[in-house]
Amino acid sequence: MTKTKESWGSRIGLILAMAGNAVGLGNFLRFPVQAVQNGGGAFIIPYLVCFLLMGIPLLFIEWSSGRYGGRFGNHSTPYILDTMTKGRILKYIGVFGIFTNIAVAAYYAYIESWTMSYVLHSVKGTFVGMDQSDVANFFLSYTDVLHSTTGIPYEAVIFYIICLSINVYVLSKGLGGVEKVAKIGMPLLILFGVVLAVRGLTLGTSGASETFPDANAWDGLNFLWTPQYESIMDLKVWMAAAGQIFFTLSVGMGTVHCYAAYVKSKDDIALNSVSAGFMNEFIEVVIGSSIVIPIAAGYLGMEWVMENAGFGMAFQTMPYLFQQWGPLFAAIAGVMWFGLLFFSGITSSLAMGTPCVSFMQDEFGWNRKKGAWAFGLVTLIMGLPTVFFFREGVFDEYDYWAGTVSLVVFAMMETILFSWVFGLKKGWREINMGADIKIPGIYKYIIKFVTPVILIVVFLGTVFAPKGNDWSGNIRSLFSGNGWPLDNLSIINKITNSGLRQQIANATDPVEIQ
Ligand code: PHE
Ligand code: NA
């Protein structure tokens, strides 16, 4: 075993790398869609409560576990848990912290690779003169690898490989490489984000055309920000809010463990973790909600947004809307939008790669370069099915199992482990060691009782998700003796129906491109 002495170059480098880890495609693509689909202003309260009661505690847990493991020369979740639970079999749950990273990186890097190609197409003017359905079809054609008509054969595969190679290259440079990318990428993405957000906020009704006379960018913001208290009782909204908090803060995956393992043992983690967490929230809640939704509402109207809110909006709609600003500004906006997505993506995929490289260093004594290549190759092998069978739903399967279920399961286990096996007494001391802020004492009780209970509830909710996500309907059904109908997305049904085969069987015909 090599005991590396590597650590972060500076405090600002650490915060930017950790914020880069958290700030990702989730902030710009996932958050707005989740917010719209869960009632806009109704979503935001459960979301903030989940941030405070689950997000912040998990950040404290993962940062302090990581720094603790790092003190013993360990840098990846399996080894970190090993130092915390000496001699117990529990450490094997740490394998989640490696495997999930590779599985998420596989499909995450694929989206990241689209953004690179879309920057290029924005510059080339591919979207100039296209109408909405042309732009939408371009995306369908792009992701339909075998029948793609984008101009470059196998374009999606080529960009995927280029994207992974860039990740491998940076990872082979070690923490310094990650830090450098974060120092360049984070300020740029904030700059691009602010410019686009200002454009979104000042669009007003200027986008209104004869076809969409009711369009108004402010409708989007009003929808997102007018609090609605009724749906606070809706468990569905809570589950969605919890899921978004996991994903956006990058917890439950071992990336935070790994980055924190390189924090020097006397350095603060209390203030650093909260700073990185709040930076992510600012970029998500303020910037992330001021781009896609208001711009789409400004041209197409809020009704259109409600009906079409989905992850495709970023690629299928935005390039078309940018065209309304003339070819030059459309190209600039395209570069900014897809560039910001790229920087947010790469700082996150590097965070998924680092624990894997560190694991190979700790386990096999490999050097960084060899570890980085191994990570790239394994990710490529795992990722090609999502590239080739995107249309058959393989991508969604990865996102379900790796990007949703594993995060919940692992977060639940590590919290119980931290609070009850490692012991909160020791844990609280770890969190506060070297702290530059005083954490309110109430967090001691939150971490010990509230967070584990919420996580167990979220876990059970994922196992027993009710049909159609209709919680109140199911509760009524249960009390009237009609049982608890399960949703296809409940873990139980997923396993018994073997969702993947199901989806391939139901797969739609190849997309037609006009
Ligand atoms: N937090 C990232 C995002 O918002 C995604 C991510 C999840 C990154 C888990 C690393 C680990 O996009
Ligand atoms: Na995020």
Side-chain angles (χ1 to χ4, degrees):
M1 235 206 247
T2 45
K3 300 277 178 193
T4 28
K5 282 262 158 54
E6 211 174 351
S7 62
W8 295 100
S10 64
R11 186 166 192 166
I12 186 77
L14 163 68
I15 292 184
L16 286 178
M18 275 286 200
N21 174 350
V23 175
L25 303 168
N27 297 48
F28 300 99
L29 307 182
R30 202 174 184 277
F31 175 77
V33 173
Q34 290 293 316
V36 168
Q37 286 176 347
N38 289 286
F43 182 69
I44 217 72
I45 298 165
Y47 174 86
L48 291 176
V49 172
C50 285
F51 174 64
L52 293 176
L53 296 184
M54 200 176 72
I56 294 273
L58 277 167
L59 287 177
F60 286 152
I61 292 174
E62 295 200 348
W63 276 74
S64 58
S65 306
R67 189 187 57 182
Y68 181 81
R71 206 177 301 147
F72 300 93
N74 297 321
H75 305 95
S76 62
T77 312
Y79 282 99
I80 291 168
L81 295 191
D82 186 32
T83 56
M84 293 172 70
T85 60
K86 274 265 174 280
R88 293 188 215 219
I89 178 156
L90 288 172
K91 68 189 178 202
Y92 290 102
I93 64 176
V95 174
F96 267 93
I98 298 299
F99 189 73
T100 311
N101 278 297
I102 297 175
V104 174
Y107 73 88
Y108 198 89
Y110 186 37
I111 312 181
E112 193 179 312
S113 74
W114 303 345
T115 67
M116 292 169 57
S117 157
Y118 269 65
V119 166
L120 218 77
H121 283 292
S122 302
V123 175
K124 267 177 59 185
T126 305
F127 306 115
V128 175
M130 282 193 177
D131 64 17
Q132 165 69 86
S133 78
D134 292 336
V135 176
N137 278 328
F138 180 87
F139 175 76
L140 296 177
S141 166
Y142 183 90
T143 47
D144 189 5
V145 173
L146 297 175
H147 309 96
S148 174
T149 53
T150 56
I152 308 175
Y154 294 103
E155 177 169 356
V157 182
I158 295 171
F159 274 96
Y160 184 55
I161 292 174
I162 297 178
C163 181
L164 284 180
S165 309
I166 298 177
N167 276 279
V168 167
Y169 175 77
V170 177
L171 287 171
S172 69
K173 301 276 164 206
L175 284 192
V178 171
E179 215 170 319
K180 198 179 252 168
V181 172
K183 277 185 177 164
I184 300 171
M186 290 304 285
L188 272 179
L189 90 80
I190 292 175
L191 174 73
F192 292 170
V194 168
V195 172
L196 291 168
V198 168
R199 186 69 190 123
L201 298 181
T202 53
L203 201 56
T205 52
S206 69
S209 65
E210 275 157 33
T211 359
F212 297 104
D214 299 329
N216 186 344
W218 284 100
D219 289 347
L221 293 164
N222 284 335
F223 177 75
L224 286 178
W225 293 110
T226 312
Q228 291 160 22
Y229 298 100
E230 318 84 70
S231 54
I232 286 193
M233 297 306 288
D234 192 344
L235 254 172
K236 161 182 168 248
V237 178
W238 283 90
M239 293 290 290
Q244 179 60 22
I245 284 296
F246 278 110
F247 194 85
T248 193
L249 291 175
S250 307
V251 291
M253 239 171 90
T255 59
V256 177
H257 288 146
C258 172
Y259 275 12
Y262 294 103
V263 175
K264 293 193 200 84
S265 53
K266 283 185 216 66
D267 284 353
D268 160 277
I269 52 171
L271 178 59
N272 284 341
S273 62
V274 170
S275 312
F278 271 91
M279 192 152 160
N280 178 67
E281 290 314 299
F282 173 78
I283 294 179
E284 174 148 303
V285 171
V286 180
I287 303 184
S289 68
S290 308
I291 304 177
V292 182
I293 304 293
I295 293 183
Y299 285 104
L300 304 170
M302 196 52 209
E303 231 159 81
W304 184 93
V305 173
M306 307 263 275
E307 274 163 29
N308 295 282
F311 153 95
M313 266 193 314
F315 297 90
Q316 294 185 287
T317 312
M318 296 301 274
Y320 164 68
L321 298 180
F322 294 155
Q323 297 308 316
Q324 316 309 311
W325 306 336
L328 178 63
F329 285 110
I332 295 175
V335 170
M336 286 191 172
W337 172 237
F338 295 111
L340 103 83
L341 291 180
F342 174 72
F343 285 126
S344 75
I346 192 165
T347 47
S348 295
S349 57
L350 290 172
M352 299 170 204
T354 309
C356 304
V357 179
S358 304
F359 177 74
M360 289 180 261
Q361 285 184 299
D362 291 354
E363 172 81 25
F364 308 122
W366 288 3
N367 61 24
R368 284 246 156 222
K369 203 164 166 191
K370 197 164 161 194
W373 273 98
F375 167 74
L377 280 176
V378 177
T379 308
L380 179 66
I381 293 167
M382 293 269 307
L384 283 179
T386 72
V387 176
F388 278 95
F389 302 108
F390 182 72
R391 311 223 67 82
E392 282 75 21
V394 176
F395 185 97
D396 298 332
E397 287 300 314
Y398 274 60
D399 187 44
Y400 178 77
W401 290 109
T404 312
V405 174
S406 311
L407 305 192
V408 174
V409 173
F410 181 70
M412 176 181 74
M413 294 196 292
E414 71 167 327
T415 303
I416 296 173
L417 214 134
F418 183 88
S419 295
W420 296 91
V421 180
F422 184 65
L424 192 69
K425 217 170 159 184
K426 255 159 90 189
W428 187 248
R429 204 183 324 128
E430 275 303 314
I431 296 172
N432 285 289
M433 204 169 75
D436 288 334
I437 48 166
K438 180 148 177 36
I439 302 172
I442 186 158
Y443 263 103
K444 207 160 147 181
Y445 302 96
I446 295 179
I447 295 175
K448 186 157 183 181
F449 301 107
V450 182
T451 313
V453 168
I454 299 181
L455 286 166
I456 292 170
V457 170
V458 173
F459 172 68
L460 292 177
T462 319
V463 175
F464 298 106
K467 200 173 173 88
N469 221 347
D470 178 10
W471 286 86
S472 41
N474 258 42
I475 290 168
R476 255 180 278 122
S477 155
L478 191 64
F479 281 111
S480 53
N482 294 327
W484 184 269
L486 289 172
D487 193 77
N488 285 336
L489 283 180
S490 65
I491 294 188
I492 294 185
N493 264 2
K494 272 277 192 186
I495 292 175
T496 51
N497 296 349
S498 156
L500 186 59
R501 246 177 295 141
Q502 194 81 357
Q503 290 206 23
I504 290 182
N506 300 342
T508 43
D509 306 324
V511 215
E512 277 174 45
I513 318 288
Q514 291 86 345

